Amino acid sequence: MALLTIRNLTVEFATASGAFRAVDSVDVDIDRGEILAIVGESGSGKSVSMLATMGLLPWTATITAERMEFDGTDLRSLSGPARRRLIGKDIAMIFQEPMSSLNPCFTVGFQIREALKQHLDLDKKGRQARAVELFEMVGIPDPERRLKAFPHQLSGGMNQRVMIAMAIACKPRLLIADEPTTALDVTIQAQILDLLTDLQKETGMALILITHDMGVVAETAERVAVQYAGQKVEDQPVTDLFARPHHPYTAALLAALPERATERRLPTIPGVVPGQHDKPVGCLFSPRCKFADERCRQVPPPVQPPAIGFARCHYPLNVPAEVETA
Amino acid sequence: MLRYILARLITFVPTFVGVTLISFAFIRVLPGDPIIVMAGERGMTQERYDELVQRFGFDQPLYLQFWDYLTGVVQGDLGRSFITNRPVWDEFFTLFPATLELSICAIIFATLIGLPAGVIAAVYRGKFFDRALMSTALVGYSMPIFWWALLLIIVFSGNLGWTPVSGRMSLMYFFDDVTGFMLIDSLLSGQAGAFTSAVQHLILPTIVLGTIPLAVIARQTRSAMLEVLSEDYIRTARAKGLRPARVNGLHALRNAMIPVVTVIGLSVGTLLAGAILTETIFSWPGIGKWMVDSIFRRDYPVVQGGLLLIALMVMIVNLTVDLLYGLINPKIRKR
């Protein structure tokens, strides 16, 4: 049974110029102990769909979904207190900017013990011991002393380790990492990713990694969901995705990787992600797609069967001979 | 920390000299002659007048008069009132506790209501409570104080008879000044009902004096909270599954406190400088009324000394506020 199942998730924001659909009928499935990467450009709705799952979106957002279940619990009808018992404990999340994601007014020790106090039945001593243990787990040297530090006294990488320690404090079954390495420099990025995958192996939790970095995906993920302009356009195991992308957008993303470039100039995807006011009628990717024809521009594409990676496309690429397209 | 406080205390010196100079010059620029005022309607002979001019040193050049005054101040001598002939120092400290007591009550009143109101307004922004509170705050801020005071007196003292009209204590009670604070002295006196009377006398002046700071604190808290609530660390706090009360009241408010404390500090400064209207309307024997009276009487030493002491109080409040910043937010803590 899947740990998290989301069907047809749509998130709309009320803006001054009308409703803006940030997430458009997205499905997410993740099993226990699985590592799923959600890939996409800025504004493709990857963070928003996960924030919706956590219930952390501002009041301007309207969330609708056919199904939204975590381990049998319907997340849509969850009361405030019930949700607060779940998030931070069974589902935890870490964010892009470690420096601004920790409260500057409190020591990191206070903030991690606070998470423990909220969900676990530990006394003061127990919380301190667990905090030290967690800091050791995430590789923070001299934990007793570091617990007394304020966020501004630690580096970005250290702060992200603190965030990770805080997120895994109550042994979550699902950890959502929202671009955990984007704000860090490259050497630290690799360390943080290694840490996340190690912790995932150790604890057996499921991990959703939101990123726009295909390199990160290749190194860490087992399965990849590609999002474009609020829609999921493809969903495949990582090796298959890199070998045989079915959606032209995925193919274009992969072609733009420097390691894969064959010419002197790096291939790019022309144009930009459509915004609130210039959404195409048909396929959302059609204005930037080199395979697009009149049908693509007029008719929204179907979702292809699992064998074609759930590609949301009229003309999926690399289709095996024996499979029929939708 | 200690070094920082010392450094700040040293910067008090030029401010101090500046204030003495301004207060000295200011009262002398005003037209009017203190000796004529002193003489009153009966007038005085030219000989008597010349004698007094010489006694107060008004025949000396201004810079010498200032020098005399400054050397006096440095030795802790603020001079004597022309009118009562009592040392300015004594007069100030007889009256200052009344002002201090009223100011403290007013600022506590303003903070206790304004701070939570601002927080709630920010959390429920755009909702009914927010709109109602912010328009009330605007009314409170722009309302003429004397009118508001009279209105409260008419309703609560006149019509309902709940509170006394003026003064600090009912005439039924008498006890010695120990601290100068009626709330404390009435308790110390052990007389039944004295404390209640002190509280009753404080209620209306507190509300009147606290209204403007209350409006300012509520609005400032709201806007600071709005800014903080969109910060990443608030999302982190919510992602931990913390109760909204803890997220807003601890994680957000602590960060929003810096501008709020600034406003509270500034309010305390103005309140200490004497709430002239409030003290006049409620016959409150504080330094506001004392300063105004002494300006009309051209009581040079009182005006100079009073201004100086008030400036000193304001400087101390400001220093306290600066030290509080570091306590609230360790990022700006002074080493």
Side-chain angles (χ1 to χ4, degrees):
Chain A
M1 197 187 116
L3 185 62
L4 178 72
T5 310
I6 296 174
R7 285 286 167 277
N8 238 335
L9 171 71
T10 298
V11 181
E12 280 187 341
F13 287 96
T15 65
S17 54
F20 170 65
R21 185 168 287 198
V23 178
D24 189 356
S25 52
V26 162
D27 297 346
V28 181
D29 287 278
I30 184 163
D31 284 327
R32 287 162 214 286
E34 195 186 11
I35 304 184
L36 168 73
I38 302 181
V39 192
E41 290 169 76
S42 308
S44 59
K46 4 184 239 304
S47 303
V48 175
S49 54
M50 285 303 113
L51 287 172
T53 311
M54 293 283 285
L56 291 179
L57 287 174
W59 57 278
T60 46
T62 317
I63 304 166
T64 48
E66 247 167 56
R67 272 181 78 191
M68 204 169 181
E69 279 171 20
F70 176 78
D71 204 18
T73 314
D74 191 345
L75 295 175
R76 294 173 306 172
S77 55
L78 219 52
S79 71
R83 183 183 292 278
R84 289 197 291 277
R85 274 193 295 277
L86 191 71
I87 67 170
K89 183 171 190 299
D90 292 317
I91 314 179
M93 189 159 178
I94 57 176
F95 304 98
Q96 197 177 123
E97 294 279 349
M99 290 309 245
S100 60
S101 292
L102 287 164
N103 196 322
C105 286
F106 302 101
T107 62
V108 293
F110 174 88
Q111 298 183 55
I112 195 167
R113 286 191 299 266
E114 185 183 39
L116 293 167
K117 194 178 176 184
Q118 186 68 23
H119 298 289
L120 301 182
D121 201 17
L122 288 171
D123 60 356
K124 215 174 162 208
K125 259 189 178 161
R127 288 197 292 269
Q128 174 68 17
R130 174 77 177 141
V132 170
E133 183 193 359
L134 284 162
F135 266 33
E136 277 164 357
M137 273 174 86
V138 297
I140 297 178
D142 201 358
E144 275 97 354
R145 202 167 59 87
R146 289 292 159 78
L147 280 168
K148 292 191 194 107
F150 287 96
H152 70 275
Q153 294 165 329
L154 301 175
S155 68
M158 260 325 152
N159 275 324
Q160 195 60 298
R161 284 173 195 269
V162 172
M163 283 295 291
I164 295 172
M166 211 156 79
I168 62 167
C170 306
K171 301 192 174 115
R173 281 178 287 168
L174 173 63
L175 176 65
I176 302 169
D178 185 359
E179 309 219 16
T181 56
T182 308
L184 306 174
D185 59 57
V186 184
T187 47
I188 308 295
Q189 281 186 13
Q191 292 176 11
I192 294 290
L193 284 175
D194 287 346
L195 173 65
L196 280 173
T197 42
D198 287 351
L199 286 171
Q200 190 271 336
K201 273 193 209 97
E202 252 170 71
T203 60
M205 62 184 175
L207 176 65
I208 295 181
L209 191 67
I210 300 171
T211 180
H212 57 244
D213 186 340
M214 276 292 186
V216 170
V217 174
E219 270 172 52
T220 43
E222 294 165 358
R223 200 158 54 81
V224 188
V226 182
Q227 266 186 231
Y228 181 79
Q231 292 181 332
K232 186 166 86 167
V233 296
E234 183 160 358
D235 189 337
Q236 281 211 82
V238 66
T239 40
D240 298 350
L241 183 102
F242 275 81
R244 284 177 303 280
H246 294 303
H247 197 282
Y249 177 61
T250 317
L253 274 185
L254 293 174
L257 286 178
E259 306 84 40
R260 295 193 161 207
T262 46
E263 292 160 48
R264 275 195 63 221
R265 283 180 77 94
L266 206 57
T268 55
I269 310 176
V272 288
V273 184
Q276 187 179 356
H277 303 292
D278 54 354
K279 276 211 169 171
V281 212
C283 172
L284 294 184
F285 187 57
S286 58
R288 303 172 72 186
C289 181
K290 55 183 174 184
F291 306 106
D293 64 5
E294 209 42 45
R295 182 169 161 225
C296 296
R297 279 184 273 274
Q298 297 305 327
V299 187
V303 176
Q304 299 290 346
I308 318 178
F310 303 97
R312 197 184 273 268
C313 183
H314 288 295
Y315 309 114
L317 311 171
N318 304 317
V319 180
E322 67 281 5
V323 183
E324 213 163 280
T325 56
Chain B
M1 189 64 165
L2 207 64
R3 267 186 63 188
Y4 173 72
I5 298 179
L6 280 177
R8 279 295 301 268
L9 288 176
I10 290 169
T11 65
F12 276 21
V13 175
T15 318
F16 213 78
V17 175
V19 171
T20 47
L21 189 59
I22 290 170
S23 59
F24 180 88
F26 149 77
I27 189 67
R28 278 167 177 76
V29 168
L30 283 184
D33 185 331
I35 298 172
I36 303 278
V37 176
M38 234 185 286
E41 285 175 4
R42 282 179 301 150
M44 61 172 62
T45 59
Q46 188 62 39
E47 289 92 68
R48 178 70 181 141
Y49 182 84
D50 291 341
E51 189 196 322
L52 284 173
V53 164
Q54 208 166 24
R55 199 168 102 198
F56 292 132
F58 291 159
D59 53 346
Q60 306 270 340
L62 269 183
Y63 66 87
L64 271 183
Q65 290 184 39
F66 180 65
W67 179 250
D68 277 350
Y69 172 60
L70 198 61
T71 45
V73 168
V74 172
Q75 293 163 39
D77 176 18
L78 293 176
R80 284 167 178 270
S81 162
F82 287 164
I83 310 295
T84 62
N85 205 28
R86 285 178 63 206
V88 172
W89 197 258
D90 288 2
E91 287 208 335
F92 182 83
F93 282 103
T94 318
L95 299 171
F96 187 62
T99 296
L100 190 61
E101 185 173 43
L102 180 56
S103 305
I104 292 175
C105 288
I107 208 72
I108 290 177
F109 162 77
T111 311
L112 279 188
I113 299 181
L115 201 72
V119 172
I120 296 171
V123 172
Y124 299 102
R125 66 178 163 284
K127 302 270 170 60
F128 175 76
F129 180 83
D130 180 25
R131 283 159 201 248
L133 181 84
M134 283 307 113
S135 26
T136 315
L138 193 63
V139 172
Y141 185 70
S142 23
M143 195 162 39
I145 278 299
F146 65 90
W147 178 78
W148 175 228
L150 292 177
L151 200 70
L152 287 177
I153 291 176
I154 290 169
V155 174
F156 291 102
S157 308
N159 296 352
L160 296 169
W162 290 353
T163 53
V165 179
S166 66
R168 293 181 77 193
M169 178 54 65
S170 164
L171 289 175
M172 285 162 61
Y173 306 101
F174 182 79
F175 40 82
D176 289 328
D177 268 6
V178 183
T179 58
F181 295 98
M182 275 298 166
L183 289 176
I184 299 173
D185 287 353
S186 62
L187 276 180
L188 289 178
S189 75
Q191 296 178 49
F195 180 73
T196 322
S197 171
V199 172
Q200 279 174 342
H201 279 84
L202 260 168
I203 292 174
L204 287 191
T206 297
I207 294 176
V208 169
L209 193 58
T211 299
I212 290 181
L214 166 62
V216 177
I217 290 171
R219 290 188 75 98
Q220 183 63 261
T221 308
R222 178 182 177 272
S223 72
M225 279 292 288
L226 279 183
E227 203 166 296
V228 170
L229 281 175
S230 60
E231 294 284 347
D232 288 350
Y233 50 78
I234 296 304
R235 191 181 54 193
T236 310
R238 290 172 57 215
K240 283 197 249 182
L242 301 179
R243 280 174 298 117
R246 191 172 168 93
V247 174
N248 298 323
L250 185 75
H251 284 263
L253 186 58
R254 181 81 180 259
N255 282 279
M257 275 311 278
I258 296 273
V260 177
V261 166
T262 311
V263 165
I264 295 177
L266 289 174
S267 302
V268 173
T270 36
L271 293 187
L272 285 185
I276 293 152
L277 281 174
T278 313
E279 287 185 357
T280 309
I281 292 169
F282 290 98
S283 309
W284 195 265
I287 54 169
K289 202 165 172 303
W290 174 65
M291 286 296 294
V292 174
D293 289 347
S294 58
I295 291 172
F296 283 128
R297 289 172 190 151
R298 303 289 182 275
D299 197 343
Y300 289 3
V302 171
V303 175
Q304 289 164 182
L307 279 178
L308 193 64
L309 289 171
I310 291 168
L312 188 67
M313 296 297 165
V314 173
M315 285 190 273
I316 291 172
V317 171
N318 280 343
L319 176 62
T320 317
V321 167
D322 281 357
L323 294 176
L324 275 177
Y325 286 167
L327 275 185
I328 296 166
N329 191 338
K331 221 166 159 177
I332 42 179
R333 194 162 286 173
K334 306 291 187 302
R335 269 159 287 276

